[in-house]
Amino acid sequence: MRARSIRRWISKIRKLPLHPQWLVAVSGEDRMLAAALGTLSGRVLDIGCTDRRLAALLPSGCEYIGLDYPDTAVTMYHTRPDVFADARGLPFPTASFQGVIFKDVLEHVPGPEAALREVGRVLQAGGHLVLWIPFLYPIHDAPHDFQRYTEHGLQEYLRRCGLRVVELEPVLTPMETSALLTCLALGDAAEQILERRLWLAPLLPVLALLVLSANLWGKALSWLPASRFMPAFYRLMAVREAAGPQ
């Protein structure tokens, strides 16, 4: 209980470098997501919609349909989507959407290839998929966290489902990713102290200073030349090919 209360309070300072996920907050994720969703039109399906917040980022004229799994929507997020369903068996006709959103959801789907095939099925030819997924990021929403993909795996699985990747970008440089993981490990240690080792509470200010330090050095070193080998997340857009899934 203590850790959850602290987590709610910490969420209010997400854009300050004392927050373990500050590097994500200042990565431009909201801006990039708004730009991606701004390209969609027509009927749009948001799989794993939680509180339906992405509806506000769509252009006017879009018909938004939010879908979520009953167990996670009701039990974990206390939200009510437009449709309760499993991503592996979408209750919609073939080629009934011009856009699909799959943000931070695919890692939580057991049998993700079946879900991607369903996305390929319900998208019209020329329709777009906007997908966000972690690569190097801790287990979250346990026990509903099942897999991670490389960018090469993503492209291959999407190709099999009749989807061609037109944009795929890593999010966070290797230095930022390593700093983010360090901060999250320190945050986990703080939570464990609050929940199980309260006698170690005097160490909490030290952990906070270490989070601040890791965030700042991660950001300061992010200008160094780097390859794509170690991002925290991937963001991509894919288009539904005219031919069906292979």
Side-chain angles (χ1 to χ4, degrees):
M1 290 296 294
R2 294 190 195 94
R4 284 194 290 272
S5 298
I6 293 293
R7 198 181 302 135
R8 284 195 294 270
W9 180 83
I10 288 290
S11 67
K12 299 176 181 178
I13 61 167
R14 192 166 183 261
K15 292 194 175 181
L16 297 177
L18 282 169
H19 195 286
Q21 297 197 73
W22 175 72
L23 287 165
V24 179
V26 299
S27 68
E29 178 187 45
D30 290 344
R31 173 182 51 77
M32 291 184 288
L33 183 60
L37 297 185
T39 66
L40 300 182
S41 61
R43 198 165 184 237
V44 178
L45 175 64
D46 183 5
I47 300 175
C49 65
T50 60
D51 61 2
R52 299 163 46 91
R53 73 177 184 89
L54 299 185
L57 300 179
L58 291 172
S60 60
C62 285
E63 179 188 353
Y64 175 90
I65 296 176
L67 178 147
D68 216 324
Y69 191 67
D71 185 39
T72 53
V74 176
T75 305
M76 296 182 67
Y77 295 109
H78 311 291
T79 57
R80 187 170 184 84
D82 298 309
V83 179
F84 286 110
D86 190 318
R88 297 168 296 180
L90 297 174
F92 304 106
T94 296
S96 54
F97 290 93
Q98 288 79 47
V100 171
I101 307 167
F102 224 156
K103 184 181 184 298
D104 299 328
V105 174
L106 190 61
E107 70 271 24
H108 302 295
V109 179
E113 286 190 64
L116 291 175
R117 283 189 171 274
E118 280 292 272
V119 169
R121 181 183 67 79
V122 301
L123 268 177
Q124 294 180 2
H128 287 84
L129 165 68
V130 174
L131 187 149
W132 250 249
I133 189 170
F135 174 59
L136 286 177
Y137 193 79
I139 293 172
H140 55 287
D141 289 349
H144 307 287
D145 192 352
F146 302 109
Q147 60 264 321
R148 302 289 185 267
Y149 290 101
T150 66
E151 61 178 292
H152 312 293
L154 284 170
Q155 293 192 72
E156 174 61 19
Y157 289 126
L158 289 168
R159 182 190 65 79
R160 294 180 190 176
C161 299
L163 296 158
R164 176 173 56 86
V165 174
V166 294
E167 181 180 335
L168 194 158
E169 292 295 331
V171 179
L172 299 190
T173 67
M175 287 295 180
E176 290 173 311
T177 300
S178 61
L180 172 65
L181 293 176
T182 298
C183 290
L184 291 172
L186 291 166
D188 178 68
E191 286 195 4
Q192 296 307 309
I193 287 173
L194 289 169
E195 291 288 354
R196 303 180 184 182
R197 300 285 190 274
L198 199 55
W199 58 275
L200 290 173
L203 290 177
L204 293 176
V206 176
L207 295 178
L209 287 174
L210 289 172
V211 167
L212 175 63
S213 174
N215 272 326
L216 293 178
W217 68 250
K219 194 64 177 175
L221 296 177
S222 63
W223 62 271
L224 289 172
S227 69
R228 299 164 64 101
F229 88 111
M230 192 175 152
F233 308 91
Y234 291 114
R235 58 181 180 89
L236 69 82
M237 181 174 286
V239 63
R240 175 69 162 82
E241 300 280 33
Q246 298 180 12

